[in-house]
Amino acid sequence: MRTYQDPEVLLPRMQRVIVSYQEGRLSRRSLLGFLKWEMVLADHNTVSTFLAEIQDKPNLDSDLVDEVTRTYTENVQHWVFPEEPALSKAIPEALECTFPELIQVFKSARGALGVVLDALVGVNVRLNLRGSYGAVRDARLLLTKEIALLERACEDVGSGTRLAPAFPDEADEERPSWYSPHGAPLSPKQITWLADLGKESPEISLTYAEGITAHSHPPQLVTERIKARERQLLRAKEIRAFEEQERRAMKEACPRCNSASGELCRTRAGKETGVHKGRYRIAS
């Protein structure tokens, strides 16, 4: 089920993009790209309001308005995602979001890194920050590449692009196909790869929404986080049990070094040391 963002946030954002284009700070291609991903997050009424507004904009040619309208009606309006909101409930600290919203979070992070780059240049203390600048710049470039990959995968999933049912040589390796109950959810890179392969054999391809319904396993990242949390809980339980055991042992006199109840154990040289095993045996 599609979820949508607040129109009071989205509409001003889309309006600002139009202004940037009119002022010559944004190319036509970039404008359409920005608007496409904003319209994915908007409900139909919000988009209709926006389209009605730009039709009356001065200095905005009708061809562009038609192109923006087609971008929505022929693509975005019909996107459907196989969303499973319950998945994020398995990890309380997770931020529940849709696929398009994830892309927006990535873009916000990229924008924040751009601010960091400006701050590194503008810092008012005489410092050599080339290393820091390079690290942030490289991180921003990696984010940019990942955003492009996520955008294409999101478009393939949302628009129902047909994916190949298997990877090359998968049958020879006796691995389960991605859409089988024993398969694993695909990564964005795998989705784009299978989308390209699906064009070669459209008669046997299927959409991601069709294939993912057969899965019996949650996404790998969710599984790893759950296991990590289970290990943390188990470790915390073991530590509490050990501390309780040590507390009971400290109530006893030590049969090895003769330390009295409540006193730390000592070595032969008289230095304080860890609790001797004999104390634990008595306490148990």
Side-chain angles (χ1 to χ4, degrees):
M1 180 178 177
R2 287 274 291 277
T3 59
Y4 305 102
Q5 291 195 354
D6 186 352
E8 292 185 5
V9 175
L10 279 174
L11 264 177
R13 208 157 60 200
M14 291 192 286
Q15 290 162 349
R16 286 195 295 270
V17 174
I18 291 291
V19 172
S20 296
Y21 172 76
Q22 289 179 306
E23 293 176 347
R25 294 185 285 114
L26 204 62
S27 69
R28 189 185 185 102
R29 180 179 178 183
S30 296
L31 170 71
L32 292 170
F34 275 118
L35 290 179
K36 179 177 73 173
W37 291 103
E38 295 293 357
M39 289 189 293
V40 173
L41 300 169
D43 61 28
H44 182 67
N45 289 336
T46 302
V47 177
S48 297
T49 301
F50 172 71
L51 293 176
E53 286 180 358
I54 64 174
Q55 285 174 355
D56 299 327
K57 280 250 181 220
N59 304 322
L60 201 63
D61 62 87
S62 58
D63 287 346
L64 177 61
V65 176
D66 290 342
E67 198 168 356
V68 173
T69 303
R70 285 197 305 274
T71 298
Y72 176 66
T73 57
E74 296 178 5
N75 298 288
V76 174
Q77 186 178 12
H78 307 293
W79 284 9
V80 177
F81 296 92
E83 294 171 356
E84 300 177 72
L87 279 176
S88 58
K89 302 294 190 239
I91 305 175
E93 67 274 16
L95 176 65
E96 183 180 342
C97 65
T98 63
F99 200 166
E101 285 174 332
L102 173 65
I103 292 171
Q104 188 185 62
V105 171
F106 265 71
K107 288 184 175 181
S108 297
R110 182 177 60 183
L113 288 178
V115 174
V116 173
L117 290 176
D118 292 339
L120 285 166
V121 175
V123 67
N124 60 5
V125 177
R126 195 178 291 264
L127 297 169
N128 179 0
L129 297 172
R130 291 179 66 190
S132 299
Y133 189 93
V136 175
R137 179 198 59 210
D138 291 347
R140 194 167 187 268
L141 286 173
L142 284 174
L143 265 181
T144 299
K145 292 179 181 178
E146 194 64 25
I147 288 169
L149 181 60
L150 286 169
E151 283 185 337
R152 187 185 163 193
C154 184
E155 190 164 350
D156 285 338
V157 173
S159 64
T161 298
R162 313 291 293 185
L163 311 183
F167 294 101
D169 304 323
E170 193 168 53
D172 297 337
E173 297 171 4
E174 297 184 351
R175 287 189 295 133
S177 181
W178 69 271
Y179 71 92
S180 73
H182 301 292
L186 298 175
S187 70
K189 189 173 183 178
Q190 289 174 322
I191 288 172
T192 59
W193 183 15
L194 288 175
D196 290 337
L197 292 174
K199 296 174 184 175
E200 301 172 7
S201 306
E203 71 282 357
I204 59 171
S205 61
L206 68 164
T207 68
Y208 193 63
E210 293 168 345
I212 202 70
T213 56
H215 280 205
S216 56
H217 303 290
Q220 295 89 327
L221 183 59
V222 174
T223 302
E224 290 168 4
R225 290 289 292 273
I226 291 174
K227 288 182 178 178
R229 189 177 62 183
E230 289 175 347
R231 288 194 296 269
Q232 290 173 349
L233 292 174
L234 180 60
R235 179 62 178 158
K237 183 178 179 180
E238 291 173 345
I239 290 173
R240 288 195 299 271
F242 174 77
E243 289 174 345
E244 174 60 22
Q245 190 179 26
E246 186 177 54
R247 186 184 64 78
R248 291 199 304 267
M250 287 295 293
K251 290 182 178 180
E252 307 291 339
C254 181
R256 177 174 173 179
C257 64
N258 297 320
S259 292
S261 173
E263 294 182 353
L264 293 173
C265 289
R266 295 184 177 276
T267 65
R268 292 181 180 178
K271 294 182 179 181
E272 292 181 349
T273 186
V275 180
H276 288 134
K277 292 181 180 179
R279 262 179 151 167
Y280 288 114
R281 285 196 292 268
I282 295 173
S284 62

